[in-house]
Structures are given as structure tokens and as C-alpha cells.
Amino acid sequence: MIDGKKIGVVVPAYNESKLIAKTIAGMPEYVDQIIVVNDCSKDNTGEIVAEIAKTDPRVLLINHDVNKGVGGAISTGYIYCRDNDLDIAVVMAGDNQMDPNDLPNLLAPVLQDKADYSKGNRLITGEAWKKIPKVRYFGNSMLSFLTKIASGYWHVADSQTGYTALNKRALKMLPLEDIYPRYGMPNDFLVTLNIYNMRVVDVPVRPVYADETSGINIKKVIFSLSFLLVKLFFKRMIQKYIIRDFHPLVLFYFFGAFLMLLDIPLLIRFFYRWAITNAAPEVTLIMILLCSISGLQLMLFAMLFDMESNRELK
């Protein structure tokens, strides 16, 4: 407990028998409850946690009968924290990649009521470039940029980090049962936070990569998450700027996208005429340039409107 606030740490765990004990052992004394969600592991992760729980009363084991993915495990942990009146719900993965020494800094903005959700950012310090595998680093950076557009949190980076702290207000308000279940949960959750106008801040954390081999196919994940982020962008536009409160930025996005898409048939016509007559049709070329420039300007204005609309959520 810190400043009279009860702290719960949600630990999603799937086949983490190698590192789960070390993860739990590193939890600071001020953590009131450690909720380990065993996501139907195929190894003895559950048995290890059950043994630890016999000697550490803070540890609670929740077993999933079927695998629900990391998002599903976090959802279960969040719901427990909400239903048991915990003040702050922290997420720390079961693979010991999140340094407990960073936890005070992660909790500070939430404890001081400067944020509803604080998340770790491994990319701020120079350590990230040295420690994080290069393919993962570039993939993370690309997804972080796309997540800025999709979520509306333009000040947030390192979207894929799972080291986070969520306050009681958000636990009570957010649809925790609808959290995206698989990889991509952090991106989906940021969009949900923005729809509900939650304040989000980045906190520098140290990247930890040791005794761990990722099973994630980075190339496959980037494409699948990019598609997910497109869907999340439209979800946020509809939910936040049409259904809940209309904002003209959706019109800027719509007409900007329309003009840029209009370039496709114009370009086809341009190259077709070039191939047939070996001459550039000037009118078509002017239309292409006009659509490109106007469409890009409208898209940039929409982004500026979005930044201004979300300025207070940081």
C-alpha cells in the first residue's frame, strides 16, 4: 500500500515455469496483491504459483480452463481488481522482463492523480537500442507510429509495452470484459482509453531481455496489427467523434482519404494514355497533383484537430 492506495499486480502467465517464480519474488513489499492469471499453460506454471501462494498470502492464482490470450488474461486480472476494490491495477508479465525498480515511477502519475493510465516506454533511453533485438525495435517503432494515429494519443510511444498502471476510476468505467484477447491488446486498450477520455502518460522504463526467447513472428505481427489498427482507427472516429460528440475532423479525414484514393484511377488512366500515345496527358497530371496535395492537406489538418482535441489527455 502506498499513500493509502491498495496496489494489485496482474501477472498474465502462459508457459512461464522458467521465470514465474523469479517474477513473483521480485515484487516489492508495498504490493498488496499479486494476481497470477495462468492462461491454460501446458507446463507446470500453475503448480509453481500454487506452491508460492502457500508461503506468500499476497499471491492469488486464477486458472483459465481455455487459453484466452494475453489480453484475456489481463481482462480477468482487471476484473478481479475492480470487483475487489483495489485502487491501482498494475500489469507485469510473467517472463521477468519488467524491472520492479521502475514500479515507483510508473505508479507516481496515477497516485498523484495526474494520469488514469501510465505505461512504460522503453524507447526513451539509449538502452533500448542496445538491448532490444533490432527487428523488434524497428517493428515496435512502426507500430507505435500507427498507434498514435489510431489511438489519438500522439504523445505516447512504445505502444507494445505491457508494463502499465490503471487507476480505480478507469477500472470502474471501462468495458473490461471487451478487452482484445490476443497480441494487440495494448493498441486496442489505448483506443478504448481515448474513447473514454482517460489521461495517459509515458514513463521511462528499462528494457530487460534475458533468459527469454520470443515466440512472436515479428513480420507476421506487424501486418496483422497494422490491419487491426486500421479497424481501431475507424472505431475511435465513429465512437468518439460521431456517436458521442460530433467533430468536423471526421469530414477532413473522409474527404482527404477520398481525394487520395481518387488518385488511383487517375494514375491508371495517366499511365495507360502514356503507354498508348507516348505522351503525358497534362489535364490528368494536374488532377493527380491537385488530388494528392489537397488530400494530404486535409489529412494533416485532421491530425492537427485530433491532436488539439486530445491535448488535455496527457
Side-chain angles (χ1 to χ4, degrees):
M1 185 175 289
I2 303 179
D3 297 337
K5 304 290 187 182
K6 293 184 291 185
I7 313 295
V9 175
V10 177
V11 183
Y14 176 69
N15 293 343
E16 297 292 357
S17 59
K18 184 178 180 181
L19 294 167
I20 191 65
K22 189 174 182 181
T23 300
I24 295 173
M27 294 290 177
E29 291 296 323
Y30 53 78
V31 171
D32 297 280
Q33 194 148 26
I34 304 167
I35 305 102
V36 181
V37 183
N38 176 31
D39 194 26
C40 196
S41 296
K42 297 177 181 179
D43 60 10
N44 63 333
T45 297
E47 289 81 354
I48 293 172
V49 176
E51 284 299 314
I52 297 172
K54 293 178 181 179
T55 57
D56 189 343
R58 301 180 303 166
V59 177
L60 170 71
L61 173 64
I62 300 177
N63 289 305
H64 280 173
D65 295 329
V66 295
N67 181 270
K68 297 183 180 180
V70 62
I74 292 171
S75 174
T76 296
Y78 275 164
I79 291 170
Y80 175 88
C81 291
R82 178 194 67 192
D83 294 346
N84 288 273
D85 207 35
L86 291 171
D87 295 296
I88 300 176
V90 176
V91 174
M92 293 179 69
D95 56 9
N96 202 43
Q97 284 193 11
M98 298 167 183
D99 191 341
N101 292 323
D102 288 322
L103 188 52
N105 291 333
L106 193 71
L107 289 169
V110 180
L111 288 168
Q112 297 165 11
D113 195 29
K114 294 180 179 179
D116 301 297
Y117 184 74
S118 64
K119 54 176 290 296
N121 185 339
R122 300 161 294 179
L123 306 182
I124 291 178
T125 67
E127 290 183 74
W129 175 254
K130 299 175 183 178
K131 292 185 177 181
I132 298 177
K134 297 300 181 286
V135 174
R136 184 178 293 189
Y137 184 95
F138 284 117
N140 193 346
S141 299
M142 180 185 298
L143 291 173
S144 292
F145 174 71
L146 294 175
T147 302
K148 288 174 183 285
I149 300 173
S151 70
Y153 290 116
W154 297 87
H155 62 285
V156 167
D158 193 12
S159 60
Q160 304 314 114
T161 185
Y163 200 178
T164 62
L166 186 70
N167 69 5
K168 180 184 284 189
R169 172 174 173 261
L171 285 171
K172 298 292 185 182
M173 288 184 63
L174 299 178
L176 303 178
E177 292 81 2
D178 298 332
I179 290 176
Y180 189 77
R182 302 294 170 182
Y183 192 82
M185 175 269 171
N187 316 82
D188 177 81
F189 199 61
L190 279 172
V191 170
T192 301
L193 287 163
N194 190 270
I195 291 171
Y196 282 81
N197 290 316
M198 297 293 170
R199 299 162 299 165
V200 176
V201 298
D202 264 358
V203 176
V205 297
R206 288 175 285 272
V208 180
Y209 281 89
D211 302 322
E212 176 266 343
T213 301
S214 175
I216 298 171
N217 186 324
I218 299 297
K219 295 179 181 178
K220 182 179 179 181
V221 161
I222 287 177
F223 285 110
S224 62
L225 275 187
S226 297
F227 179 69
L228 172 65
L229 287 169
V230 171
K231 293 195 297 182
L232 292 174
F233 171 78
F234 284 108
K235 173 185 175 181
R236 185 171 69 90
M237 290 296 109
I238 294 169
Q239 287 287 331
K240 185 168 186 176
Y241 296 128
I242 296 178
I243 295 176
R244 294 168 185 263
D245 185 19
F246 180 77
H247 195 294
L249 72 85
V250 293
L251 298 177
F252 280 77
Y253 268 127
F254 174 78
F255 286 111
F258 173 77
L259 288 173
M260 296 185 78
L261 288 172
L262 192 61
D263 269 342
I264 297 175
L266 290 174
L267 283 168
I268 293 173
R269 175 183 171 82
F270 176 83
F271 285 112
Y272 176 77
R273 292 289 299 276
W274 179 276
I276 297 298
T277 64
N278 198 30
E282 294 182 1
V283 175
T284 305
L285 182 59
I286 291 172
M287 290 179 65
I288 290 171
L289 292 174
L290 182 62
C291 288
S292 298
I293 294 171
S294 299
L296 183 60
Q297 285 180 327
L298 287 171
M299 296 287 279
L300 291 175
F301 276 123
M303 290 181 184
L304 287 172
F305 279 135
D306 200 20
M307 289 180 188
E308 180 64 23
S309 178
N310 291 286
R311 186 166 53 87
E312 296 181 359
L313 302 183
K314 62 179 180 179

